[in-house]
Amino acid sequence: MTAGRLCPVPEPWTRVAGPPPSRREDPPLTEITRTVHRHTGHFLEDFRPGDVFRHKGGKTVTEGLFTTFTEFSMTSNPLSKNARYARAYGFDGLVCPPGLAMLVAFSQTVEDVSENARTNREYIDMRFGAPLYVGDTVEVETKVLSVVPHRKIENLGIVHVQSTARKNVGAPDEGVVMTWQRRVDVFKRDPDADLQEGEARPDAVDCELWLPPYDEKVDYASMAHLSSGHSYFEDFEPGTRIEHSRGRTMTSEHIHLTAVLDNTSQVHCNQFMIDQDPARYVGGQLIIFGGIPFTLSLGLSCPDVGDNALGDIVYPTGRHTAPLFAGDTVFAATEIHGVRDLPGRPDLGVVETKLLGHKFVRTTDEPVDPDAPSGWGKVQIFELERHLAVKRRSHYA
Amino acid sequence: MTAGRLCPVPEPWTRVAGPPPSRREDPPLTEITRTVHRHTGHFLEDFRPGDVFRHKGGKTVTEGLFTTFTEFSMTSNPLSKNARYARAYGFDGLVCPPGLAMLVAFSQTVEDVSENARTNREYIDMRFGAPLYVGDTVEVETKVLSVVPHRKIENLGIVHVQSTARKNVGAPDEGVVMTWQRRVDVFKRDPDADLQEGEARPDAVDCELWLPPYDEKVDYASMAHLSSGHSYFEDFEPGTRIEHSRGRTMTSEHIHLTAVLDNTSQVHCNQFMIDQDPARYVGGQLIIFGGIPFTLSLGLSCPDVGDNALGDIVYPTGRHTAPLFAGDTVFAATEIHGVRDLPGRPDLGVVETKLLGHKFVRTTDEPVDPDAPSGWGKVQIFELERHLAVKRRSHYA
Amino acid sequence: MTAGRLCPVPEPWTRVAGPPPSRREDPPLTEITRTVHRHTGHFLEDFRPGDVFRHKGGKTVTEGLFTTFTEFSMTSNPLSKNARYARAYGFDGLVCPPGLAMLVAFSQTVEDVSENARTNREYIDMRFGAPLYVGDTVEVETKVLSVVPHRKIENLGIVHVQSTARKNVGAPDEGVVMTWQRRVDVFKRDPDADLQEGEARPDAVDCELWLPPYDEKVDYASMAHLSSGHSYFEDFEPGTRIEHSRGRTMTSEHIHLTAVLDNTSQVHCNQFMIDQDPARYVGGQLIIFGGIPFTLSLGLSCPDVGDNALGDIVYPTGRHTAPLFAGDTVFAATEIHGVRDLPGRPDLGVVETKLLGHKFVRTTDEPVDPDAPSGWGKVQIFELERHLAVKRRSHYA
């Protein structure tokens, strides 16, 4: 050990020394005379239509974050797995799949909007814009659109908000990554507080999916074996329901995953809180953050629906229809509702779908559930309208 | 929130807008009139000797993937932990340990080769070539060498394949990372289908371990404290068995790890499938992907065997001899079978070993297992012949 | 598959081929005639005052390591989450939070110092210096200061050491990242061995917190919404105890986390060892590595205490007061003991605190614990004196 070796700080940095070590036997610590309980998140009466929250933190997408969430959900689109493929397609590098963009952007809003929520009621008009890459920093703002008391439950109300996620604020590659609305059931802090009812108009946010050009000089066909062969635009026939083959069992990993996303809602990670009053919480156990089945359903459907998408355009509506717990196995299906041309882009088409997530639970119900093996019942957990921009085989394979 | 702020896309990118939000109250969704069940992976009758699968996806090694798998397995070779050491040795940066290279390359072949397999029977002639770095993209091809019906089990057969993993295809730093053969027991889809028997010759793949030069200008000795002091070439004596001291308990983390590797085999991650018919599956529970004990055995042996290796050359044979489950604790041992000079490289030698993985299970058998504490039996789970290129103390310490 | 395609190695690299594949049916393997049991780590009698361990490995901070540990602990300071914010403040990029720097540096010392320890008794005078970034490589040395037999337990003694972590040794951006002392209870290997008692003086290590300058040209206020609004220097009043609102349940994830840190102590990851003799180990189960509650307590307190810190200066003392197990939920509180100016830096002040971690356990004790809900008792698990350099609202918001 080179004692006392000089490590000069770079100019104009400064240095600050702590107290000498002997200090720790010094005078006793200050007497503590008051205790402050910090609480985080807003309650129903705190929301005022027209107000805007500029959320804390922001989040830079690292290669750690990218891999954890792209892969836990079994995403298979090579744009998110194979950098040489992504670059050949005109992207700067590996592209965050839409589920990861959603997880990063949405989680930034949790402390302000839904830390004290009972449930997330509905996603509305979730639109994608600029591609999100490793190294990009996402920052999010949320505008309150309306606050309405719950018709039946006294201490509850419905908050309707619009959130927008931008990347690299102030830098040349700034862009809107996503914008969406959601409605969420939020608890009152004070049962007697008056609500700030009313309505504000959503902002007209410039958020349209950025698409790299079709480049005739690129030999796309030479890379066609890297994506699934049955998920080009020509393959989708309205009226079809595709049952995706894979299932994925969730474990207590969800606590870690949720923390990594900055989602601070205590119903996902504080078992002690649940244990004190299990009856108050759904299922009497930690509930898995909705962003997990959202992203996992997208991932499980990817080989059949998303492998040849250049991007997701919009999710007009979405909702969670049942909770997910550690130990449950998630499956997904996709309904094809429409196909249409994309003006100006003969190489692409739009596929309009409904993505469905489900699980099975043991049951003794009669008659037997026709969609489940004997002794089991099928439980729908998630649904999402989803429009994708999909490559045509004629141009890419 | 700056409403409608313009975020121009870079030329020549285009943009695509979704439908207006009002659309979601529009005409009802298309009626679903047919359901398609997607299945993935090939069955026994699909394999034809001489055919080549160019596997989907490909995988770019991110810093997230690198850290998860290098560290979960307790790898201790500084080439995979300390970038200044790796660079001083002539590598471009942190080097993927052989277990990670194997996991990445092997997993790419699962969907096509073994998604519908019963067991992986044998690894044969697994050879390493170019070093794999963070940022490299791996793509893999597999050639079918033979298909043989199982002698006893009717719906089963043995598929013999040769796989080769390349990195950065088409780029100047392209290289073969690994090539290997394996034999795997695959189920038939249709019991009446004819097999495509026969034999194809393995390709002569240019895959030899790349070694950085010994550079007399580098002060290797100044870094010698960073690797273990008892694992130089001079330390290995044929006829010795080394019991490695550490154990590592596996948890349900294996489900997440396996997903991150793109290994889609359902016996590792679909608990619902197991619960429907536990008797059909080994142990009636999720089985841990063989790549996990493979890599973990390499990691546990690293302080004693791998710390001063510049690379693994070849694994002539390898096999899993018992399954591994969540809750099991993995241990490893290494037998030293031979040592030899490396022509042209007086600074290195080749150590020929057999790597063994084992666990202990509770038992009431008599007599007591001499290799296990009372009440426990030792179960061999993995064995791998392994040849390494190891530094000589004379040149490096 | 392009058989035999030439992949020339870059000059002056060489290549080494393994034996031909046929070899694997060759002569039988060497007979194993002796077995060596490798043990790692030092025992009490191995420590000699004045000796220095230069620890193995070293560790490069990857984006995978960074994200896993910054986020699992719910750190909220934007310096560790938002690269554009960190750069605007004068840092090179995302800054490792102090808990991560501590985990990386401390873990490097485990094999040599505490692999055979019973408990870590005390942290003393833990000081921070240069900021730690993604891409930096940490290497650590430890000097033995004293060895003292335990007063009551015969096979045990107290080892007092001083450790220092440097980054990028030999490179222009080299710097001391941390230095600290600790006292640890270590077992003897041989009950009859003599101890090497005595005392060595700690080295005078040049380790003072590096602080980027206050730059009047930077619009700090435009970023003030990204950190919490109630944790500026002006907000801290001595005599206050802040109960932080969030809890975080730890799962068996701790085994994986500990492996990723290179902490090889078997009491954290070897369930088989515990199962053989549960009574010997605290709680008869795997115990969570102390670095986990250390870091988690820092993270849980971050919104209220650390969000506007430019760095932690020193932890004069710290200790673990009860073990943590999988399933426990961790909470934290901070006592404010003093505030003072920072000479030469009117934009900053020093806040002197005591960080406390606790959990709750079920109990039937009477009378009821006033700090816990009925049926539960509060258990203090960790305490740390902590001095931070905190921004003044007057200059930054």
Side-chain angles (χ1 to χ4, degrees), chain A residues 63 67 71 81 83-84 127 141 166 204 206 209 211 226 239 241 243 245-247 249 253 337 345, chain B residues 1 4-5 7 14-16 19 30 33-34 36 38 57 59-60 62-63 111 139 256 262 266 269 271:
Chain A
E63 292 194 5
T67 289
E71 305 295 39
K81 305 187 77 77
R84 85 144 176 131
R127 288 162 188 272
E141 293 178 350
R166 289 189 169 79
D206 176 45
L209 183 64
L211 287 170
L226 295 169
R241 176 183 170 104
E243 296 284 347
S245 67
R246 292 170 184 154
T249 301
E253 74 191 289
H337 285 280
R345 291 296 300 253
Chain B
M1 192 177 300
R5 180 164 51 174
C7 296
T14 55
R15 303 164 56 129
V16 50
T30 313
T33 55
R34 65 170 195 140
V36 176
R38 289 288 183 207
K59 199 168 186 86
T60 300
T62 67
E63 293 194 3
E111 181 178 318
E139 297 178 20
H256 188 99
D262 311 337
Q266 294 286 293
C269 69
Q271 184 67 50

Side-chain angles (χ1 to χ4, degrees), chain A residues 50-251:
Chain A
D51 276 2
V52 171
F53 298 113
R54 303 174 71 194
H55 303 298
K56 286 194 291 186
K59 198 168 186 86
T60 300
V61 179
T62 66
E63 292 194 5
L65 188 73
F66 181 90
T67 289
T68 298
F69 288 93
T70 299
E71 305 295 39
F72 108 86
S73 60
M74 298 180 154
T75 303
S76 56
N77 186 323
L79 293 174
S80 302
K81 305 187 77 77
N82 183 325
R84 85 144 176 131
Y85 178 99
R87 284 192 208 103
Y89 269 79
F91 293 94
D92 290 356
L94 291 171
V95 184
C96 288
L100 174 53
M102 181 274 176
L103 283 173
V104 169
F106 184 93
S107 297
Q108 296 292 314
T109 73
V110 168
E111 181 178 320
D112 282 327
V113 176
S114 49
E115 181 141 334
N116 302 304
R118 183 164 172 264
T119 50
N120 197 46
R121 192 173 265 264
E122 196 180 9
Y123 306 97
I124 304 165
D125 198 31
M126 184 175 270
R127 288 162 188 272
F128 292 86
L132 186 62
Y133 299 116
V134 169
D136 284 343
T137 299
V138 174
E139 295 178 21
V140 186
E141 293 178 350
T142 293
K143 181 178 183 177
V144 181
L145 300 184
S146 75
V147 180
V148 178
H150 195 280
R151 289 181 198 176
K152 295 176 185 167
I153 305 179
E154 212 157 293
N155 269 339
L156 206 66
I158 302 154
V159 177
H160 185 165
V161 295
Q162 178 191 35
S163 298
T164 300
R166 289 189 169 79
K167 71 173 191 176
N168 307 332
V169 172
D173 54 344
E174 175 168 346
V176 173
V177 173
M178 289 179 66
T179 188
W180 71 97
Q181 297 176 31
R182 64 168 166 144
R183 297 200 308 144
V184 54
D185 287 1
V186 178
F187 284 111
K188 270 189 173 180
R189 183 193 297 105
D190 169 10
D192 296 329
D194 288 330
L195 297 197
Q196 309 190 56
E197 298 191 45
E199 238 178 283
R201 292 176 57 85
D203 288 329
V205 180
D206 176 45
C207 184
E208 297 178 349
L209 183 64
W210 298 19
L211 287 170
Y214 179 79
D215 182 347
E216 301 212 340
K217 295 188 299 292
V218 174
D219 184 3
Y220 297 106
S222 73
M223 298 176 289
H225 65 284
L226 295 169
S227 61
S228 74
H230 62 277
S231 61
Y232 287 94
F233 181 73
E234 292 90 335
D235 297 313
F236 294 101
E237 188 185 328
T240 308
R241 176 183 170 104
I242 305 168
E243 296 284 347
H244 309 298
S245 67
R246 292 170 184 154
R248 162 77 153 88
T249 301
M250 286 302 303
T251 71

Side-chain angles (χ1 to χ4, degrees), chain B residues 155-174:
Chain B
N155 269 339
L156 206 67
I158 302 154
V159 177
H160 185 165
V161 296
Q162 177 191 36
S163 298
T164 300
R166 289 190 169 78
K167 71 173 192 176
N168 308 330
V169 171
D173 55 342
E174 176 168 347

Side-chain angles (χ1 to χ4, degrees), chain C residues 80-384:
Chain C
S80 301
K81 304 187 77 76
N82 183 326
R84 84 144 176 131
Y85 178 99
R87 284 193 209 103
Y89 269 78
F91 292 94
D92 290 356
L94 290 171
V95 184
C96 288
L100 174 54
M102 181 273 177
L103 284 173
V104 169
F106 184 93
S107 298
Q108 296 293 314
T109 73
V110 168
E111 181 178 319
D112 282 327
V113 176
S114 50
E115 181 142 334
N116 301 305
R118 184 164 171 265
T119 50
N120 197 47
R121 192 174 264 266
E122 196 180 9
Y123 305 98
I124 304 165
D125 198 33
M126 184 174 271
R127 289 162 188 272
F128 292 86
L132 185 62
Y133 299 117
V134 169
D136 284 344
T137 298
V138 174
E139 296 178 21
V140 186
E141 293 178 350
T142 293
K143 181 177 182 177
V144 181
L145 301 184
S146 74
V147 180
V148 177
H150 196 280
R151 289 180 199 178
K152 296 177 184 165
I153 306 179
E154 211 158 295
N155 269 338
L156 207 66
I158 301 154
V159 177
H160 185 165
V161 295
Q162 177 191 35
S163 298
T164 299
R166 290 191 167 78
K167 70 174 192 175
N168 307 331
V169 172
D173 56 341
E174 175 168 346
V176 172
V177 172
M178 289 180 66
T179 187
W180 71 98
Q181 297 176 30
R182 64 169 166 143
R183 297 200 309 145
V184 55
D185 288 1
V186 179
F187 284 111
K188 271 189 174 181
R189 184 194 295 103
D190 169 11
D192 297 328
D194 288 329
L195 296 197
Q196 311 190 55
E197 298 190 46
E199 237 178 283
R201 292 175 56 85
D203 287 330
V205 180
D206 175 45
C207 184
E208 296 179 349
L209 183 65
W210 297 20
L211 287 170
Y214 179 80
D215 182 347
E216 301 211 341
K217 294 189 298 291
V218 174
D219 184 3
Y220 297 106
S222 73
M223 297 175 290
H225 64 284
L226 295 170
S227 61
S228 74
H230 62 277
S231 60
Y232 288 95
F233 180 73
E234 292 90 335
D235 297 313
F236 294 101
E237 189 185 328
T240 308
R241 177 184 168 102
I242 304 168
E243 295 284 348
H244 308 298
S245 67
R246 292 171 184 151
R248 163 77 154 86
T249 303
M250 285 302 302
T251 70
S252 61
E253 73 192 288
H254 77 89
I255 301 177
H256 188 98
L257 291 173
T258 301
V260 171
L261 290 167
D262 309 338
N263 182 323
T264 52
S265 179
Q266 294 286 293
V267 295
H268 306 314
C269 69
N270 186 337
Q271 185 67 51
F272 171 68
M273 183 184 79
I274 307 281
D275 287 345
Q276 285 176 82
D277 186 3
R280 186 181 165 184
Y281 301 97
V282 186
Q285 53 183 305
L286 293 179
I287 191 171
I288 296 181
F289 163 43
I292 304 284
F294 191 127
T295 302
L296 191 46
S297 298
L298 285 167
L300 292 171
S301 73
C302 200
D304 302 325
V305 176
D307 246 33
N308 288 301
L310 286 194
D312 282 16
I313 303 167
V314 61
Y315 303 152
T317 65
R319 68 186 57 77
H320 299 281
T321 49
L324 186 69
F325 301 113
D328 288 342
T329 302
V330 176
F331 296 86
T334 299
E335 297 174 353
I336 310 303
H337 285 279
V339 294
R340 55 185 169 86
D341 292 341
L342 190 49
R345 290 298 299 252
D347 58 312
L348 303 174
V350 176
V351 181
E352 302 182 0
T353 73
K354 187 171 192 177
L355 172 64
L356 299 151
H358 61 271
K359 66 177 184 179
F360 296 91
V361 295
R362 291 184 192 273
T363 178
T364 54
D365 284 359
E366 295 287 349
V368 168
D369 186 333
D371 285 343
S374 172
W376 296 83
K378 181 175 176 178
V379 177
Q380 197 71 40
I381 57 171
F382 177 62
E383 58 180 46
L384 184 74

Side-chain angles (χ1 to χ4, degrees), chain B residues 63 67 71 81 83-84 127 141 166 204 206 209 211 226 239 241 243 245-247 249 253 337 345, chain C residues 1 4-5 7 14-16 19 30 33-34 36 38 57 59-60 62-63 111 139 256 262 266 269 271:
Chain B
E63 293 194 3
T67 289
E71 304 296 39
K81 306 188 76 76
R84 85 146 176 129
R127 288 163 187 270
E141 294 179 349
R166 289 190 169 78
D206 175 46
L209 183 64
L211 287 171
L226 295 170
R241 176 183 170 104
E243 295 284 347
S245 67
R246 292 171 185 152
T249 302
E253 74 192 287
H337 286 279
R345 291 297 300 253
Chain C
M1 194 176 300
R5 179 165 51 173
C7 296
T14 55
R15 303 165 55 129
V16 50
T30 313
T33 55
R34 65 169 194 140
V36 176
R38 289 287 182 207
K59 198 168 185 86
T60 300
T62 66
E63 293 194 4
E111 181 178 319
E139 296 178 21
H256 188 98
D262 309 338
Q266 294 286 293
C269 69
Q271 185 67 51

